[in-house]
Amino acid sequence: MSELIRFSVAMPENLLVQFDSLVARRGLAKNRSEVIRDLVREALVDEEWDDPSQEIVGTLSIVFSHHAADLQGKLDQVQHAHHDKIISAMHVHLDAHNCLEVIVLRGKSEVVRGIADAILGVKGVKHGRLTATTTGLYL
Ligand code: NI
């Protein structure tokens, strides 16, 4: 980590009260400075994702029925077509009927979003969410 630099922040009292409540919810390992750094990183990740040409990392979680006809085959087809952008995938048999897949993607923002949309668009996917993270250049 690079050298820490102190600066002061002014904010309305009611906002500070709410911020301190957030700091408390994040637990003993976090203080105001840590939480502000987390929020700044979050804003920077959001900015990366808004730039279609920016290299990003995303995690796509999907839940689907094990029984749906050829659904696994269709999901595999999309993933094989983009194997160079998929770093890793994990399959969990949640119960007798449902499967969870966690797919980690890396590439340009617009490409990663496109692959995620293609996977989420496969008929039979019950729930899914793409989570933004970063290659970590400024962490
Ligand atoms: Ni399964």
Side-chain angles (χ1 to χ4, degrees):
M1 188 191 279
S2 58
E3 183 192 354
L4 294 175
I5 296 170
R6 287 191 178 277
F7 66 102
S8 56
V9 175
M11 68 172 73
E13 188 180 358
N14 60 346
L15 187 59
L16 181 60
V17 168
Q18 288 180 307
F19 177 66
D20 282 341
S21 167
L22 172 67
V23 173
R25 288 197 299 277
R26 294 214 172 166
L28 291 174
K30 296 279 174 169
N31 55 37
R32 281 179 176 167
S33 291
E34 294 260 13
V35 175
I36 283 180
R37 287 197 288 272
D38 290 349
L39 294 174
V40 169
R41 290 189 195 105
E42 198 174 303
L44 291 170
V45 169
D46 285 349
E47 203 169 62
E48 274 189 356
W49 276 67
D50 286 343
D51 176 355
S53 65
Q54 185 74 41
E55 177 94 359
I56 51 89
V57 176
T59 306
L60 177 65
S61 300
I62 54 170
V63 176
F64 55 94
S65 168
H66 166 71
H67 304 295
D70 200 33
L71 177 51
Q72 183 72 66
K74 287 175 188 159
L75 291 170
D76 286 348
Q77 204 175 350
V78 177
Q79 293 188 56
H80 278 284
H82 302 285
H83 63 89
D84 56 328
K85 301 289 183 293
I86 295 175
I87 300 171
S88 182
M90 176 177 69
H91 185 107
V92 178
H93 310 301
L94 283 180
D95 55 34
H97 312 288
N98 294 296
C99 302
L100 163 72
E101 265 187 33
V102 181
I103 303 158
V104 182
L105 304 119
R106 183 177 190 166
K108 289 189 185 344
S109 168
E110 64 178 351
V111 174
V112 167
R113 284 179 200 273
I115 298 168
D117 284 339
I119 291 170
L120 292 169
V122 174
K123 192 178 174 197
V125 174
K126 293 177 178 176
H127 178 257
R129 180 160 293 163
L130 179 64
T131 304
T133 187
T134 177
T135 51
L137 295 177
Y138 48 76
L139 295 182

